[in-house]
Each structure stands twice: as C-alpha cells, then as structure tokens.
Amino acid sequence: MPAPHHPPRLAVALDAPRHPLRPDAAHYTALARLAERGTLDFVTLGDRFGGPGPDALGLLARIAPATERIGLVPAVTTTHTEPFHVSTALATLDWVSRGRAGWTVEVSTTAAEAALTGRRPAAPPAEVWPEAGEVADAAGRLWDSWEDGAEIRDRATGRFVDRDKLHPIDFTGRTFAVRGPSIVPRPPQGRPVTVVDATGAESTGGPGERARREVAAARADVALVRAEDPQTAGAARAALRDRARAHGRDPGRLLVLASLPVELESPADAAGLADLLTDWYAQGAADGFHLRPADPVRDLARLVEGTVPPLRERGLLRRSYEGTTLRAHLGLPRPAGIYAATPEAAR
Amino acid sequence: MSPEPRPRRQLHLAAHFPGVNNTTVWDDPRSGSQIDFASFTHLARTAERGLFDFFFLAEGLRLREHKGRIHDLDVLGRPESVTVLNALAAVTDRLGLAATVSATFNEPYELARRLATLDHLSGGRAAWNVVTTSDAFTGENFRRGGFLDHADRYTRAAEFLATARELWDAGPEGGPPRRVDHRGPHFTVRGEPPLPRSPQGHPVVIQAGDSPEGREFAASAADVVFTRHGTLEAGQAFSADVKRRLAAYGRRPDALRIMPGVTVVLGDTPAEAQEHAAEIRRQQVSPQTALLTLEQVWGVDLSSYDPDGPLPDIDPDPHGELARGRVRIADPQAVADRWRAVSRAKGLSIRETVIETTGRQSFIGTPESVAREMTAFAAAGAADGFILVPHLTPGGLDPFVARVVPLLQERGAFRTEYAGTTLRSHLGLPDPVRPARKD
Ligand SMILES: Cc1cc2nc3c(=O)[nH]c(=O)nc-3n(C[C@H](O)[C@H](O)[C@H](O)COP(=O)(O)O)c2cc1C
C-alpha cells in the first residue's frame, strides 16, 4: 500500500464535549483565525439535530467573511432534514467562503431528536447511515446539476443559461426522492468536501458501525478514524481504502485522517504533539490528523505556538497557503461534474 | 415593553436583492454576478449606508419551466437565503436581514433553530418572510412532496409560525429552558428549545400573500406585509383592508407595517428619467421575453409570431399551462382582451405591448419628485414604507441611496441614524411579550 506523500493534512475541532457550541460569532471567529494563522487545512464544528446550540453551518457562514483561507466544515445531519436544503445550504457556504466549504455527514438516532420533528420514529444507525449515504449522493448530484459554464448571458439569443447544461437528477432513495436540478449554481469547488467520521464517538461495533464505514468508503473525500495508536489507525486506513476500491473509487481520492483528542496543558505538550504527529505520519498511519482539543481556546493557542513551528521546520506543514480553496489545501482536484459532456481536466 | 413612540410618520425602506425574473437586467455592462458573495455584500452595504431597515431575499425552490423546459431567458440561480444572511451579518452592523423561507417545505423545529441562530449571530437583525407557495411541481424536490390546497397552506403556515414562536419563547433567559409540547393537526414537536431566547425574542415576521386567507394570516401574526399593491389607490385599499382585520386579533393599526415592492428610476430632469425608464423596459423585455410573456397568457405556443408584429388573433387557451413554478394568471381571456385593446389603440407590436402593460416602474422622476411622491404615498395611508427592487445587480440601489435618501431625510421622512440595534427597533415594533410560564 502506498504511504502518504502529500504533507499531512491538519484539521482541528472548534467544539469540545465540555465546550459545546454557543451562539457567539466573535468567539469562533477568533478561533478560526488562530487556526488560519497556523495554516491548518480546516476547522470542524460538531452539531446535532436537537442542538442545544446554534446551527453549525449557519455559524461557519457567519465567520466565513472574517477569514480568508481556512476550510470550514460543519456537521450537517441528514435524518430529519431535507436533502435538497442540505445541498443548497452547503453550496451557499461554498459561495460565501469562496470555495472553503465542507461538511461532516451526520445522522440522528435518538428518540429525543425524532420527537422534535414528529415526522418519523427514531431509527438505529444501521438504518439511518445508508440513508445518509444517499443524501450525500443526492447532494453531490445536485451540485453537479449545473454544469460549469451553464451561465452564458448570450445577448444574441436572449438566453441567460444554456439549459442543456442544467440537469434533473431524478434521484430516488429508500426514503426520499429529489427531482432537481439545484436552484444554486455549481459551487466554486464543484463539490464541497465531504467528510465522514468513520468510527463515530461511541464505537460499539455492529451493523451501525459498518454502515457508517461504508458511507465513508463510498462517499467521503476525507474520512476520520479515531485510533489510540498508529498501527490501529494505519489498519483502519488500509481497510477504508480497500472498501473505497471495492466501490470503484481511486483510493488516492479518499484521505484518511486520524482523529485524536488533544490536551495541551503546557508548551511541552505542544512540542510533544508535534513529535507524535511526525512519528505517526512517518509510520504511514494516516494522511493527516484531525485534532480534538479538550479546551479549544487554550489548546488551539498552544498548538499554533508550539506544535505548528516544529512541523513547519520539518517540512510537514506549509508556511503559507498556496491555494485558496479547501480542495486545494487538501490536494484534492476540483471534480468534473457527472453530467459534464467532456470531463474537463482536473483544475 | 412598549414601542418607542414615533414622533412622526417615517418611512421604512428595504432592499430586495434582484430576483429571478425578467425585471432583473443581465444584459447590461454594469450587471454583475447574481451569485458571488461580493454582489450580496455590495447591495447590503449600500442599503446600510442608506440606513435601510432591512435587506430582503426571495426564494424559489424549483427552477421555473416554460413549455416543459427550464426557463432560460431570466437570471437564474441564487443562494440559500439563511446561509447567505449569516455571512452578511459579518459585513454589516445594523441592517435587518430577511429571508424568504417556505412554511410548506420545512419543519418548525429546524427552521426555528436556523432563524434563532441568525438572530443571535446578527445581534437581533433576523426576519422571516413566511411564504406558502406549494405545488406538486416544487414538491418533487422534497421528502414531503405533494400538494397542499390553498386553505391548508395557510393553516399549516399559521401552525408552523405558532410552533416556532413556542420554541423561541421557551429558550432559557436566565433560567432553565422550558419544554415545548406542541401537538396540532400539522405538527407534533416535543422537546427542549435549541437556543436561549434570541435578541429580538422573535425574528421579525413578514408575510407576502394576497388572498383573503393570506391577509387574515398577516393580520393575525405578521409584523410586516410585503405586497404587490404599489400604486396609490391600490395601496390605500390594500392597507385599509389589512389593517381593518387587525382589531379581531387585539392588535392596533400600527402593529403591522405595509411595504409594497416598488421600483425607482431617477433622472436629472423628468424627461431624462422617462427616457431612462423606457430604456430599462426595453432591456427587461427582450424580443424572446415578449413572446414568452405572451405565451404565459395565451397558454399556447406562439414561437412563430414576430415580436415586432401584431398580437395574435386567436384567443387564449384557458386550460393551457405552459409555465410551471410561477403564480397562475387568474383570467387569461381578460388579460388578452386588455392587451389587444392597448395594442390597437396605440398601434403597438407584441414587444411594445408587453413593455407597456407589464412591470412599469413605480416611481420615475428626479430625486426631488421621487422623494416627494414617496412621502405623499405614506401620508395618504398607501404604505408604511417600500421594498425597493433594483433592476441591476449589485449597484442598482447606489443612485437611490446617494440622491433620494438625503432628500427624504431633509423632509423628516426618514431616519438620519439608526436609533437601535435590532430590526424590531428600526421598524418601531414592540418586543414580543414572553408568555408567562405555564407550569
Ligand atoms: C410580493 C410577493 C412576494 C412573494 N415572494 C415569494 C417568494 O419569494 N417565494 C415564494 O415561494 N413565494 C412568494 N410569494 C408567494 C406567496 O407566498 C403566496 O404563495 C402567493 O402569493 C399565493 O398566496 P395568496 O393566494 O394568498 O396570494 C410572494 C407573494 C407576493 C405577493
């Protein structure tokens, strides 16, 4: 199996179990700017359908204009929401951030969440994860439903768009159908980056766990795996890449990031983290890391002060951003749409 | 908390981001992107420089079709409203931010949470234009699918809004959250509110429907009505009708702001303004658009007609349904008869007739005359203010803000600074009273 060759991707969560989301734009703007100073690839914000707390996608849209390069990846739930709205909201996040949007696909399995909508009973992970995969599929098709170049503004014929480049998606899933095309033009990245937490917070094994992993293998651009040691992470990466291949995908297009809890109580911890990331990466454990600070304010500051500089010195982290989009940071090409007549060269 | 006393009748102004219809001119060197965030920033900042009450986004959840194909002549493609307004909250400080969102193709908990998020993150500037458009055509994009008949749309919208307000009121305000337990014909919502009570208590509620049911819904529950009745007489009649309905709900006449959507064309002289207005109308009604507009009335294919020739002799097909995703024309025969009469009387071609009979601008004149007319409009009880719909993205409001706003201010008809920070305070609306705890 090829070892990763692009420098490790680096992402950080802005929320933590003891620091749940709150409706405070200044707080998250400051954190995202800090992550941007550290030239990380993206920040994540967790979310649940039932909150409590603000809508994570809305919150990252709110801070998008106050940041320039950092990728913005909210969790978006797919169980009690409309796939069409999920798709248009993410396309819009990509537009307002000029190509920095992604999303972590999430589901809702609790009775409390189901009671907030009252439309369908709670269902276990093994049922809602396949649906989440379908939502991701439909969202991707909606993003592609406007081919690049659909807008022509042709004065001679009076046509604003070339409607041959607008496509119904006619998607029929197990629980929903979407006709399309989208009402939002194709977003700057073509498709915002799809992230799937392939292991989940409470690893229980079983069919739900498998369903989640399958969505990661089939649909994700970035999969997160929670692992305690580099061997476990490397094995999870290999397994995901195998499954991606089985789904007919180029495994090189699936980045597997080890998702690690971090607690930087001292500057020495920050330097130690740099050593640990260097070591895991050298062992081929992952394509990069998603760090989950226990205390985002404290830990992110320590990370930028004490972990980022040694990584830069070792050539494992950029000193400044070269690209402007999240895909560019991650080294993922802008995909040609599935409806594009002649697939354009990856930009 | 009672409303701020308003010393004299002042206008309220809103900026409508140009829509996806033929009044938005894309065929002009000045017309910019309808989707780049820079366009939204430009118009919102222009509106805030002009001390406008709010910025407004319309919604359409399916691309319109004509003769079974996507309508390709008008500007097409727009962002999802709430997301783009969250971003605009970062580049504006005081401007209200209004999203049109369907009550048919959403669910109360999720939308209440998204709007409360916007209200929190904008410091109390969120508004929701509750629309009820629903047809099987649009429903094909949604889980819910299907069709609601006209009466049901408004009972659903009313229950939706009431449920959202329960959720907003239940948000903790110093104490623990209250549980919501809503069981109604359309929704069952049980659980805890997602957020603390937001700065405005409830985002401002706008309503845009014209039927008796729509007006009743506005009178019972809305803070602002967005209407198409933009002429003096129609505005007076509409305003009187809606405000008369308020008493039944225990509301005072000034509890509701009536704001027609209007267009403005300026010139240094009256003649120049008229000339400019005519030029814009020609841009808005291309030869292709003229034929398409005619087909929407006639309900049949008219592509063989010459847009520079006379109107068809044949009568409209009352059952012809070429257009999907837009409001139906109630009486096509009457419209056709009127258009033919205009065409005969003035010797107008198809294109000239469409230019003459549709979408004429509301206020055309010098900055002085427009300021005078707008003020007179409000004084005559035809409106509490206006939602301005520019024909160009993104600079279409620049001239109005530069030239008319100062004159309105001189006349004492418009604010010279934002007195408050919330949209409710701009509109002079009271803060909603939080119901006493039931438990
Ligand atoms: C001025 C105005 C603006 C409207 N804007 C929208 C809109 O942006 N999106 C939408 O779906 N419906 C819009 N509507 C449609 C209304 O929500 C409503 O569905 C329609 O007017 C039919 O209801 P009625 O019979 O009560 O008038 C608008 C209506 C009016 C009068």
Side-chain angles (χ1 to χ4, degrees):
Chain A
M1 184 181 65
H5 48 86
H6 184 287
R9 284 73 171 181
L10 209 48
V12 65
L14 300 187
D15 60 310
R18 275 182 286 123
H19 300 266
L21 291 202
R22 54 184 213 249
D24 180 346
H27 172 77
Y28 295 101
T29 301
L31 286 179
R33 282 191 178 148
L34 202 50
E36 196 165 62
R37 249 203 326 154
T39 57
L40 306 194
D41 293 308
F42 62 90
V43 295
T44 61
L45 268 190
D47 200 1
R48 289 163 62 89
F49 182 76
D55 172 55
L57 192 155
L59 188 47
L60 288 182
R62 172 67 178 75
I63 71 176
T67 53
E68 286 174 6
R69 298 297 181 93
I70 191 84
L72 303 169
V73 181
V76 178
T77 64
T78 52
T79 310
H80 301 297
T81 53
E82 283 287 355
F84 192 83
H85 294 322
V86 166
S87 156
T88 58
L90 284 163
T92 303
L93 182 63
D94 208 40
W95 278 108
V96 302
S97 65
R98 299 186 171 88
R100 296 184 282 132
W103 63 313
T104 304
V105 183
E106 271 305 340
V107 298
S108 310
T109 53
T110 66
E113 288 163 310
L116 292 168
T117 292
R119 197 159 61 171
R120 58 198 287 204
E127 246 171 74
V128 291
W129 270 104
E131 180 189 40
E134 291 179 344
V135 172
D137 189 3
R141 289 166 190 270
L142 285 167
W143 294 327
D144 287 350
S145 67
W146 287 57
E147 282 183 45
D148 294 319
E151 186 180 318
I152 52 173
R153 297 189 182 230
D154 185 43
R155 181 183 288 224
T157 58
R159 292 177 307 144
F160 183 79
V161 288
D162 175 355
R163 58 189 167 193
D164 292 336
K165 293 189 169 168
L166 302 179
H167 304 274
I169 68 164
D170 279 326
F171 185 91
T172 304
R174 269 159 280 199
T175 55
F176 67 92
V178 178
R179 171 91 172 127
S182 183
I183 52 171
V184 186
R186 194 156 196 252
Q189 294 185 99
R191 292 182 169 208
V193 173
T194 296
V195 181
V196 177
D197 181 347
T199 41
E202 303 102 21
S203 182
T204 51
E209 200 80 357
R210 262 200 310 281
R212 183 193 267 277
R213 262 200 319 273
E214 279 306 292
V215 173
R219 304 273 159 228
D221 300 301
V222 176
L224 310 180
V225 296
R226 295 167 197 245
E228 312 247 294
D229 57 74
Q231 290 72 33
T232 314
R237 175 171 179 264
L240 278 167
R241 290 167 61 99
D242 279 349
R243 290 304 304 152
R245 204 177 284 108
H247 284 283
R249 299 182 65 197
D250 168 4
R253 295 288 166 86
L254 171 60
L255 304 177
V256 180
L257 309 191
S259 184
L260 309 174
V262 298
E263 227 175 322
L264 305 181
E265 278 163 356
S266 71
D269 287 346
L273 178 62
D275 294 341
L276 180 135
L277 301 182
T278 305
D279 177 43
W280 280 43
Y281 186 67
Q283 295 191 44
D287 299 293
F289 304 93
H290 172 244
L291 307 177
R292 291 178 281 119
D295 177 346
V297 171
R298 179 199 64 187
D299 294 346
L300 196 51
R302 292 238 159 92
L303 183 88
V304 172
E305 287 297 306
T307 309
V308 162
L311 290 177
R312 283 181 177 155
E313 269 155 38
R314 294 167 202 168
L316 293 178
L317 180 63
R318 64 176 72 82
R319 288 171 190 277
S320 62
Y321 292 103
E322 281 151 31
T324 60
T325 70
L326 175 54
R327 282 187 175 273
H329 303 339
L330 294 169
L332 290 171
R334 183 181 189 277
I338 55 172
Y339 303 103
T342 40
E344 54 177 348
R347 278 185 226 162
Chain B
M1 277 171 273
S2 59
E4 290 283 305
R6 293 197 297 161
R8 54 191 303 180
R9 192 179 277 274
Q10 289 225 332
L11 289 175
H12 298 284
L13 294 175
H16 189 306
F17 193 85
V20 296
N21 43 46
N22 72 297
T23 54
T24 303
V25 170
W26 52 262
D27 176 21
D28 185 293
R30 290 164 299 174
S31 78
S33 171
Q34 83 288 17
I35 189 70
D36 279 350
F37 185 58
S39 292
F40 293 87
T41 303
H42 182 119
L43 186 63
R45 285 189 168 151
T46 304
E48 188 162 81
R49 199 167 63 243
L51 305 176
F52 277 37
D53 293 70
F54 60 92
F55 175 89
F56 182 92
L57 292 172
E59 176 187 77
L61 295 172
R62 177 136 182 211
L63 300 183
R64 296 174 304 158
E65 290 185 5
H66 186 72
K67 295 197 276 194
R69 303 196 61 196
I70 286 165
H71 178 85
D72 59 356
L73 302 181
D74 296 342
V75 167
L76 202 62
R78 45 188 166 184
E80 190 277 316
S81 300
V82 179
T83 304
V84 87
L85 293 182
N86 271 308
L88 284 175
V91 298
T92 54
D93 289 320
R94 298 293 184 95
L95 186 67
L97 302 166
T100 300
V101 187
S102 165
T104 305
F105 298 112
N106 285 281
E107 296 294 324
Y109 176 84
E110 192 199 2
L111 184 59
R113 180 178 182 222
R114 298 185 72 212
L115 290 168
T117 297
L118 177 63
D119 204 44
H120 274 289
L121 297 180
S122 63
R125 299 188 278 139
W128 172 28
N129 179 30
V130 185
V131 294
T132 54
T133 305
S134 153
D135 48 54
F137 177 72
T138 305
E140 285 175 6
N141 281 337
F142 296 97
R143 286 180 190 268
R144 198 190 165 284
F147 176 82
L148 272 176
D149 70 40
H150 196 272
D152 280 350
R153 291 186 215 172
Y154 280 111
T155 59
R156 180 178 163 105
E159 190 183 332
F160 194 126
L161 177 56
T163 311
R165 283 179 167 155
E166 284 178 54
L167 286 159
W168 292 329
D169 281 333
E173 212 177 22
R178 306 176 186 178
R179 270 188 77 78
V180 167
D181 191 347
H182 175 97
R183 292 159 210 256
H186 293 280
F187 307 106
T188 304
V189 175
R190 285 169 297 134
E192 294 204 347
L195 285 161
R197 203 155 185 270
S198 71
Q200 294 189 105
H202 304 166
V204 167
V205 169
I206 306 173
Q207 195 277 341
D210 201 29
S211 60
E213 294 91 336
R215 294 177 186 206
E216 210 58 39
F217 175 46
S220 70
D223 301 306
V224 174
V225 177
F226 176 20
T227 168
R228 295 203 173 90
H229 297 289
T231 64
L232 188 68
E233 301 73 31
Q236 283 172 320
F238 178 80
S239 187
D241 178 78
V242 175
K243 293 206 168 178
R244 193 176 53 233
R245 297 171 191 261
L246 288 166
Y249 302 97
R251 303 180 74 198
R252 297 210 318 253
D254 76 343
L256 185 66
R257 306 277 167 271
I258 309 276
M259 299 179 70
V262 297
T263 52
V264 175
V265 184
L266 300 176
D268 289 338
T269 63
E272 189 189 284
Q274 289 295 342
E275 221 170 272
H276 190 189
E279 173 55 27
I280 293 169
R281 291 296 295 137
R282 274 194 297 277
Q283 289 182 306
Q284 290 172 329
V285 184
S286 67
Q288 295 86 350
T289 294
L291 278 186
L292 180 137
T293 308
L294 214 63
E295 287 179 338
Q296 284 169 351
V297 175
W298 261 255
V300 293
D301 182 281
L302 300 172
S303 53
S304 61
Y305 283 76
D306 177 2
D308 294 322
L311 267 66
D313 296 328
I314 53 167
D315 280 337
D317 172 0
H319 307 295
E321 206 181 342
L322 297 186
R324 305 227 281 166
R326 46 160 95 229
V327 178
R328 285 194 64 135
I329 296 165
D331 186 352
Q333 184 67 49
V335 176
D337 290 345
R338 200 165 64 241
W339 288 14
R340 283 200 282 236
V342 168
S343 162
R344 258 196 314 275
K346 302 191 179 178
L348 302 182
S349 69
I350 287 176
R351 185 176 178 206
E352 289 162 340
T353 304
V354 173
I355 288 173
E356 180 77 13
T357 54
T358 64
R360 229 185 113 67
Q361 294 95 342
S362 322
F363 297 97
I364 304 170
T366 62
E368 292 76 16
S369 71
V370 168
R372 197 168 50 236
E373 271 184 68
M374 284 189 148
T375 315
F377 225 84
D384 296 305
F386 303 98
I387 297 182
L388 299 176
V389 191
H391 74 285
L392 284 179
T393 308
L397 274 189
D398 296 1
F400 182 91
V401 166
R403 302 182 69 189
V404 181
V405 166
L407 298 177
L408 291 172
Q409 289 168 329
E410 266 174 36
R411 307 175 77 90
F414 193 60
R415 65 175 66 86
T416 53
E417 60 182 357
Y418 286 114
T421 58
T422 67
L423 176 54
R424 276 184 187 278
S425 70
H426 306 338
L427 289 166
L429 294 167
D431 287 335
V433 179
R434 190 178 192 221
R437 228 187 159 92
K438 277 180 246 156
D439 45 12

